[in-house]
Amino acid sequence: MSGVAGILLRQDGSPAAAADIQQMLARMRHRARDGSSWWTDRHAALGHAWLNTTGEQGPGPLTMAGGKLAITADCRLDNREELLARLGVRDRSAADAILLIHAYLKWGEACPTYLQGDFAFAVWDAERRALFCARDHFGVKPFYYHCADRRFAFASEIGPLLALDGVGRALSEHQISGFLAGLPDDPQSTLYAEIFRLPARHSMTVTNNQVVLSRYWEIEPSQRPQRSDAADEFLHLFARSVENRMRGTPSVGAMLSGGLDSSSIACMAGLQAAATQKPKLKTFSLVFERGSSMDERPFIDAVLEQYGLDGTLIAVGDYAPFAEFDRILEEQEGTFLAPGLSLTRSVYRTASAKGVTVLLDGHGGDEVVSQGHGYLHELAHRGRWLELWRELHSAANTYGDGMLPLYFKFLAAYGPAWRIARMRAKARRLLGKLRRRPSHAPRVAWAGLVNPGLARRTDLAERFHRAAFMPANVSTSEALTHRWLLSTGLVPHAFEVLDKAAANFGIEPRYPFWDKPLVEFCLALPGEEKLRNGFGRHVLRRAMEGVLPPAVQWRRDKIDFTASLVKGMIVNHRDLLDRLLVSDNDLIAPYVNLPEVNAVYARMLQRPEQATLPDVQHIWRSASLSLWLRQVQQHGSPA
């Protein structure tokens, strides 16, 4: 988990100051466990905070062509062999950053299209007086920037940018309302009005006169012919993805929850470690009280016993979701949509203490492989009612849910009468417009949380409708549904949250499911490979035949942590919540609908067993916003 930083002076004047880039690096000292360095010329300064996870010889920035080209990069390239051949580089030990420079020399600003892996980098081209920047396909590596007429600056975190003179600290109401609504809909904005992010799968070229943002890749299904057995092809791609993410350091571990995703990764990584005679894979598991609804130890133990892995169990005990929260907010540089982050940090802390620097993470398996729920809509839309009945019946047998009411819902939505119902709905809407009657959208979960004035000022209802509701033409196709879910702002948001948390413990998380060829392959799969016989992610389950213990491979349940969050908040943080939400709530009053939030809080205290996930989100987001605004106020930033 390295860090990058840089400054481009966009107007002639004094040379780029080494003191500024050093100050930026100092704010990312936690990313520089193996050293840091910087490089400057008259117009640009680049810095690199180095955590050695790829086995290379030293920190960047690196230069070529007598200093006419310079690069700083936080990257791991997975198609090194292909790049070495296509670029004609004979030195097989060449650093990934050197390959990036060669790629820029050969393909120019199109170079990101030839890359696979996780990366955020910037190339200074002195001859063109241009800074070329790029971020990976899914946003695993962060990249923030500030742009003014005189200066452009970038970094892996927001803090180094705030440390520079002339960078304002005004907050973005737009982003605050989006946080409260759970809607990271703007891929460029941050909580600070003058600081932006380079979106995933985008590049950017900065010169004295302009800043040009370009998308270099679209999330699309693979066009390659598939093998006759999709499970065999999945296994091949998945094994290669895990192998790529074990490259560079012997200090590799894996998170192991006992679920399908993390267990698949741990088993595959354990097999590969044994095949190459490496030490036993270290795994790290959060464990709850035995016999509780969240106890996953039987599944964890099955994986550990089958492969003899070096497992570390981390007892959750008395969960306190706001423990160390001031520290967490400082790490995150703002609010975030991850109530369970304190638990994830305990895994990072333990793994770091055990000497691990790279941690394999099963995050994203649901999204990448897909549960295939869009396939049900696809069957109904195509009128394949018998197949839909069979699939729902299998799901009922698998998960214990009633299928008859759900079947009739599909029948009502897509059955023979749907066209008449749609025509009637259109007629009602037309009459409403003619009579100048305002239309009333159904109430959404955030409506009770967000201050109505803030919602109006930031066009929240329109934004939510545009970004959070799946279009009708998308929902009737599993392929389009799958792509839509992979394209939401929640994907890069989650990566940024995990990146900042892990960096503070000297850990680089790597995500085998977020592999470009694997994602493209999964998108191209027909719906029946994703959902079959009531089992979602069916292709993954089939691929893991003989790899996963059967109890995990065909596991039917998924843990719901809502009850644990409720208990943790009202038992361990009652005084804190009373103060933030009731007695000292002035800071959040402009943003939060206090009467309704306090009503939710009162109900939660009286009947905690009836609290819903939206209830938890109301309380957790309100309290975390209040704590962050207090930090902002202490640092002298206007709220």
Side-chain angles (χ1 to χ4, degrees), residues 7 23 76 83 120 131 145 151-152 176 185 192 207 246 318-319 349 398 436 449-450 472 508 542 556 562 566 596:
I7 298 170
Q23 182 183 30
R76 186 203 69 257
L83 289 172
L131 185 74
Y145 67 91
R151 180 187 63 198
F152 176 91
I176 291 175
D185 62 320
Y192 291 91
T207 64
M246 296 180 72
D318 190 16
Y319 177 42
R349 178 186 286 113
T398 300
R436 300 180 181 276
L449 172 58
V450 182
E508 178 178 295
R542 286 203 302 123
R556 300 180 177 187
T562 302
V566 172
E596 188 141 356

Side-chain angles (χ1 to χ4, degrees), residues 247-359:
R247 168 199 156 211
T249 175
S251 304
V252 178
M255 300 175 78
L256 175 60
S257 70
L260 178 62
D261 302 326
S262 67
S263 298
S264 297
I265 292 170
C267 290
M268 188 63 64
L271 283 170
Q272 293 184 4
T276 54
Q277 298 184 332
K278 292 180 179 177
K280 289 182 180 179
L281 181 74
K282 296 178 180 178
T283 64
F284 301 89
S285 307
L286 295 168
V287 292
F288 291 82
E289 182 181 357
R290 284 192 182 277
S292 73
S293 61
M294 292 174 290
D295 180 18
E296 298 184 273
R297 267 184 278 197
F299 304 104
I300 295 168
D301 290 343
V303 172
L304 296 177
E305 291 169 7
Q306 180 160 318
Y307 290 97
L309 304 179
D310 183 1
T312 297
L313 305 182
I314 307 165
V316 173
D318 190 16
Y319 177 42
F322 287 108
E324 296 187 290
F325 209 70
D326 284 337
R327 173 61 182 160
I328 294 174
L329 286 169
E330 289 175 356
E331 291 173 359
Q332 292 297 319
E333 307 172 303
T335 55
F336 53 93
L337 298 170
L341 184 61
S342 59
L343 292 176
T344 307
R345 287 177 81 254
S346 66
V347 176
Y348 294 152
R349 178 186 286 113
T350 304
S352 179
K354 293 277 188 176
V356 168
T357 57
V358 168
L359 196 62

Side-chain angles (χ1 to χ4, degrees), residues 574-602:
R574 172 71 184 273
D575 291 343
L576 175 68
L577 294 177
D578 284 347
R579 176 167 61 87
L580 297 179
L581 304 181
V582 182
S583 64
D584 189 12
N585 55 25
D586 291 347
L587 274 179
I588 57 173
Y591 308 109
V592 169
N593 187 349
L594 284 174
E596 188 141 356
V597 168
N598 284 326
V600 170
Y601 180 46

Side-chain angles (χ1 to χ4, degrees), residues 421-456:
R422 178 173 289 183
M423 290 174 63
R424 287 176 177 170
K426 285 182 177 180
R428 284 196 297 269
R429 286 197 297 271
L430 179 60
L431 285 172
K433 289 180 180 178
L434 292 174
R435 295 169 182 170
R436 300 180 181 276
R437 291 178 180 175
S439 60
H440 297 285
R443 181 181 172 88
V444 290
W446 57 261
L449 172 58
V450 182
N451 182 299
L454 176 67
R456 284 193 299 272

